[in-house]
């Protein structure tokens, strides 16, 4: 096997997202042939180099790639662990899914429910979260009252938030999933984005649920339940979605 950058190697090996791996390298937790890695772009040769994370060997091949789709309930943090001991999305998985390097793909707020993927597959995470792929994420939104004329168009065109203008979105009124009264599809993943878009027009989002990522739908999966997806299932969902 040819060389590849250390960052790519570690992400592919399932150690975490690119951001998490960069942070781990900066903290000096990664060594290559016994020497602390200083650059995440350094080339490594998976067959020849001995790469360790916190002193334990990292293997490229022996980890099964796992993708879980979870219907996240309220009140869980979307992270792998919390310094203050609060419950995370990993805490509701059965023991056989511990220690496999699973982490959430992107984020849902503590008070958001719905479709959350958990995986140990770094390249899939990249494909799902990188802005270049503009994956559509659909949310059901419950606000008190209804939007006034012109407000739907203004959200769809883009609103100016404190971190810049939002990209075009699709918004529609719904009545098939009470109490939710709107469905919005966005193609970005900024912090609390949907809540802030509505807040910009003076509406508080009372409930928010993600129901779709690309062509992957939450479907009938009950809150707090999860199911394992095949990587092929995900790949085809993403492929079909491609514009
Ligand atoms: N937008 C939000 O405001 N919150 C989420 O959890 C996801 C998208």
């Amino acid at each position: 096997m040819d060389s590849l950058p250390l960052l790519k190697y570690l992400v592919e090996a399932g150690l975490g997202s690119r951001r998490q791996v960069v942070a781990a390298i900066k903290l000096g937790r990664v060594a290559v042939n016994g020497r602390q890695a200083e650059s995440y772009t350094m080339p490594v040769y998976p067959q020849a180099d001995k790469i360790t994370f916190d002193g334990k060997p990292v293997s490229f091949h022996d980890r099964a790639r796992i993708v879980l789709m979870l219907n996240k309930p309220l009140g869980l943090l979307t992270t792998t662990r919390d310094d203050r001991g609060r419950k995370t999305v990993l805490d509701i998985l059965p023991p056989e899914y511990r220690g496999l390097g699973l982490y959430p793909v992107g984020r849902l707020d503590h008070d958001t429910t719905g479709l959350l993927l958990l995986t140990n597959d770094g390249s899939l995470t990249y494909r799902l979260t990188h802005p270049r792929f503009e994956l559509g994420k659909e949310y059901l939104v419950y606000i008190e009252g209804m939007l006034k004329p012109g407000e739907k168009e203004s959200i769809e065109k883009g609103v100016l938030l404190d971190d810049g203008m939002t990209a075009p979105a699709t918004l529609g009124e719904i009545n098939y999933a009470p109490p939710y009264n709107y469905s919005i599809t966005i193609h970005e993943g900024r912090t609390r984005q949907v809540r802030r878009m509505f807040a910009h027009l003076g509406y508080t989002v009372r409930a928010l649920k993600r129901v779709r990522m690309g062509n992957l739908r939450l479907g009938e999966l009950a809150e707090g339940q999860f199911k394992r997806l095949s990587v092929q299932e995900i790949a085809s969902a993403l492929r079909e979605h491609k514009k």
Side-chain angles (χ1 to χ4, degrees), residues 66-68 70 89-90 93 102-105 116-120:
I66 296 176
V67 185
L68 303 180
L70 171 71
V89 287
L90 290 183
L93 298 181
L102 292 175
Y103 56 88
V105 178
L116 181 70
L117 295 178
L118 299 165
T119 188
N120 55 5

Side-chain angles (χ1 to χ4, degrees), residues 11 28 59 66 90 92 169 174:
V11 168
S59 165
I66 296 176
L90 290 183
I92 60 170
I174 58 163

Side-chain angles (χ1 to χ4, degrees), residues 108-109 112 139 192-195 208:
L108 287 182
D109 300 334
T112 300
Y139 295 85
R192 296 182 78 80
Q193 180 167 342
V194 173
R195 292 176 203 276
L208 186 62

Side-chain angles (χ1 to χ4, degrees), residues 35-235:
R35 295 185 53 181
Q36 188 176 312
E38 276 163 15
S39 143
Y40 53 81
T41 55
M42 75 180 280
V44 292
Y45 292 84
Q47 316 255 276
D49 290 330
K50 184 167 178 260
I51 295 145
T52 56
F53 184 82
D54 286 345
K56 296 195 200 86
V58 176
S59 165
F60 208 54
H61 299 293
D62 61 7
R63 186 191 285 282
R65 300 205 163 189
I66 296 176
V67 185
L68 303 180
M69 181 163 84
L70 171 71
N71 184 345
K72 177 191 169 296
L74 286 176
L76 296 181
L77 293 179
T78 305
T79 180
T80 50
R81 96 174 90 128
D82 180 53
D83 294 342
R84 288 156 55 191
R86 289 169 299 176
K87 246 183 143 191
T88 77
V89 287
L90 290 183
D91 290 331
I92 60 170
L93 298 181
E96 63 265 31
Y97 286 103
R98 308 266 157 79
L100 299 173
L102 292 175
Y103 56 88
V105 178
R107 233 169 246 200
L108 287 182
D109 300 334
H110 190 256
D111 46 354
T112 300
T113 59
L115 198 169
L116 181 70
L117 295 178
L118 299 165
T119 188
N120 55 5
D121 183 342
S123 25
L124 175 68
T125 305
Y126 178 74
R127 178 68 184 76
L128 287 164
T129 53
H130 199 281
R132 180 156 76 88
F133 299 110
E134 293 189 349
L135 198 68
K137 280 156 288 191
E138 182 181 349
Y139 295 85
L140 304 187
V141 183
Y142 166 46
I143 56 168
E144 264 165 37
M146 300 307 282
L147 296 176
K148 296 182 200 68
E151 290 181 331
K152 165 179 147 54
E153 292 71 21
S154 120
I155 286 190
E156 286 190 321
K157 264 208 269 164
V159 290
L160 184 58
L161 302 179
D162 52 13
D163 52 0
M165 202 69 185
T166 59
T170 318
L171 176 63
E173 204 178 310
I174 58 163
N175 56 15
Y176 54 77
Y180 299 102
N181 44 2
Y182 288 94
S183 147
I184 184 168
T185 300
I186 61 171
H187 300 269
E188 303 168 284
R190 303 194 216 165
T191 306
R192 296 182 78 80
Q193 180 167 342
V194 173
R195 292 176 203 276
R196 290 190 294 133
M197 288 167 85
F198 279 88
H200 180 82
L201 296 174
Y203 297 90
T204 303
V205 171
R206 302 277 176 212
L208 186 62
K209 176 179 183 179
R210 181 156 69 193
V211 292
R212 181 174 65 80
M213 285 177 75
N215 275 350
L216 213 48
R217 289 187 174 277
L218 185 62
E220 296 302 309
L221 195 64
E223 229 172 80
Q225 298 299 302
F226 71 93
K227 64 177 182 182
R228 187 164 173 179
L229 304 177
S230 71
V231 173
Q232 288 82 350
E233 226 173 332
I234 302 248

